[in-house]
């Protein structure tokens, strides 16, 4: 059994993922793989990457280690139906059994910032942690016989050789939609905490008691009316609202311009 840090600070580094904005492009997953293949937990194996076979050379078909995976679901019915893209990686839980079940001390939670990591030198590949994680966030590297997982790019976020603006996890820096945010969720004044408060960000499966640090922002309600998305009113509607020329002769702005054009 491995202990959680008894002297943890209030710092809780983590991600906030906006499910309203994520377009499921997988850029975050690919850049995660790219960074971590050359970084802290390198290499992240891929085996038979392009195989469609179930069985190849005595092994399954395509498989590999991905710290970040994107799942796509259809949610809702009728007018409320929508496609939701759900990125999944380690949530750096505050009280994770993935750490406490580890028999060797390989899995651990950092006291200084709450990041959950695996020490590959101590891991014996027993996979107990992957059974303990209710979020499916552990990744077993069959080639090396050890467990790996999202490190929150710990080798990038503290790298003083990088510009300060680049010291964010690879998934955050690459998201073309701006759906991923990184920061200290233990600080109520941080940008990520404010975002969570504004948008009603939530933790996944609180009933498990793992207290994930990462938060998800819910999709916004579908907007069906033109006014809901700030679209200009249709000219036909304006004609009904402003029927007579005399009613527009003193009009200003767009209406005034429209009146002048139509009066020529
Ligand atoms: S998400 Fe899973 S792997 Fe990550 S800290 Fe929580 S229990 Fe552990
Ligand atoms: S697979 Fe490795 S990290 Fe996971 S419980 Fe076993 S020894 Fe610990």
């Amino acid at each position: 059994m491995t202990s959680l840090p008894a002297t943890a600070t209030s710092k809780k580094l983590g991600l906030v993922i906006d499910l309203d904005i994520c377009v499921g492009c997988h850029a975050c997953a690919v850049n995660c793989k790219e960074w971590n293949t050359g970084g802290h937990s390198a290499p992240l194996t891929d085996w038979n990457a392009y195989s469609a076979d179930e069985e190849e050379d005595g092994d399954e078909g395509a498989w590999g280690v991905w710290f970040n995976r994107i799942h796509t679901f259809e949610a809702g019915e009728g007018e409320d139906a929508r496609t939701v893209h759900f990125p999944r990686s380690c949530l750096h839980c505050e009280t994770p059994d993935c750490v406490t079940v580890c028999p060797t001390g390989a899995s651990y939670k950092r006291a200084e910032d709450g990041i959950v990591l695996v020490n590959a030198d101590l891991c014996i590949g027993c996979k107990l942690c992957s059974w303990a994680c209710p979020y499916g966030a552990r990744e077993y590297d069959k080639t090396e016989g050890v467990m790996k997982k999202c490190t929150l790019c710990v080798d990038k976020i503290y790298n003083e050789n990088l510009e300060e603006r680049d010291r964010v996890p690879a998934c955050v820096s690459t998201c073309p939609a701006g759906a991923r945010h990184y920061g200290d969720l233990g600080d109520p004044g941080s940008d990520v905490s404010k975002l969570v408060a504004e948008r009603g960000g939530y933790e996944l499966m609180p009933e498990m008691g793992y207290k994930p640090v990462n938060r998800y922002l819910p999709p916004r309600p579908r907007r069906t009316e033109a006014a809901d998305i700030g679209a200009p009113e249709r000219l036909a509607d304006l004609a009904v609202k402003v029927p007579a020329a005399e009613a527009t002769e003193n009009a200003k702005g767009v209406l005034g311009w429209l009146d002048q054009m139509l009066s020529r």
Side-chain angles (χ1 to χ4, degrees):
M1 294 281 286
T2 305
S3 301
L4 294 171
T7 55
T9 64
S10 60
K11 200 168 182 182
K12 298 177 198 171
L13 294 184
L15 299 174
V16 175
I17 299 174
D18 192 339
L19 298 180
D20 190 57
I21 291 180
C22 175
V23 292
C25 67
H26 291 242
C28 53
V30 172
N31 200 32
C32 167
K33 183 95 164 173
E34 175 68 20
W35 177 266
N36 286 295
T37 295
H40 184 76
S41 284
L44 302 186
T45 45
D46 264 320
W47 195 253
N48 303 329
Y50 303 103
S51 170
D53 297 343
E54 284 190 11
E55 201 64 37
E56 197 165 293
D57 296 327
D59 237 326
E60 301 101 283
W63 60 268
V65 177
W66 292 81
F67 291 169
N68 192 17
R69 295 176 186 263
I70 322 298
H71 305 279
T72 298
F73 303 96
E74 291 299 315
E77 304 260 333
E79 264 199 349
D80 292 330
R82 62 185 298 157
T83 304
V84 177
H85 306 286
F86 173 72
R88 175 176 62 91
S89 60
C90 174
L91 306 157
H92 299 283
C93 305
E94 285 181 61
T95 52
D97 284 356
C98 69
V99 169
T100 52
V101 297
C102 179
T104 67
S107 276
Y108 64 104
K109 184 169 178 71
R110 286 161 50 113
E112 63 268 41
D113 54 20
I115 297 176
V116 174
L117 294 174
V118 179
N119 180 343
D121 291 338
L122 295 179
C123 179
I124 55 173
C126 67
K127 300 185 188 172
L128 282 174
C129 54
S130 64
W131 286 99
C133 172
Y135 304 105
R138 293 260 164 177
E139 293 277 315
Y140 181 64
D141 188 330
K142 205 187 290 191
T143 306
E144 296 189 24
V146 297
M147 195 58 71
K148 294 179 177 175
K149 60 179 283 302
C150 160
T151 66
L152 211 61
C153 289
V154 68
D155 56 333
K156 188 167 186 258
I157 59 179
Y158 290 111
N159 188 340
E160 294 188 357
N161 293 318
L162 298 174
E163 298 269 342
E164 195 166 343
R165 66 178 178 203
D166 293 327
R167 290 182 216 158
V168 296
C171 60
V172 173
S173 60
T174 203
C175 176
R180 303 180 73 100
H181 307 267
Y182 152 78
D184 181 4
L185 286 143
D187 172 6
S190 68
D191 288 347
V192 279
S193 295
K194 288 182 194 162
L195 194 56
V196 168
E198 276 166 24
R199 291 276 311 281
Y202 56 89
E203 65 182 78
L204 283 187
M205 299 195 290
E207 69 276 12
M208 296 301 298
Y210 282 50
K211 295 167 74 178
V213 168
N214 287 10
R215 291 286 184 276
Y216 285 89
L217 305 181
R220 294 178 174 93
R222 180 175 289 283
R223 292 173 290 191
T224 52
E225 303 291 334
D228 289 347
I229 55 172
E233 293 178 85
R234 292 171 59 90
L235 290 182
D237 295 339
L238 281 179
V240 174
K241 286 182 183 167
V242 193
E246 61 269 20
T248 60
E249 64 191 6
N250 295 320
K252 296 189 170 60
V254 175
L255 267 185
W257 174 83
L258 191 60
D259 184 45
Q260 277 179 24
M261 292 300 113
L262 295 175
S263 304
R264 281 182 179 173

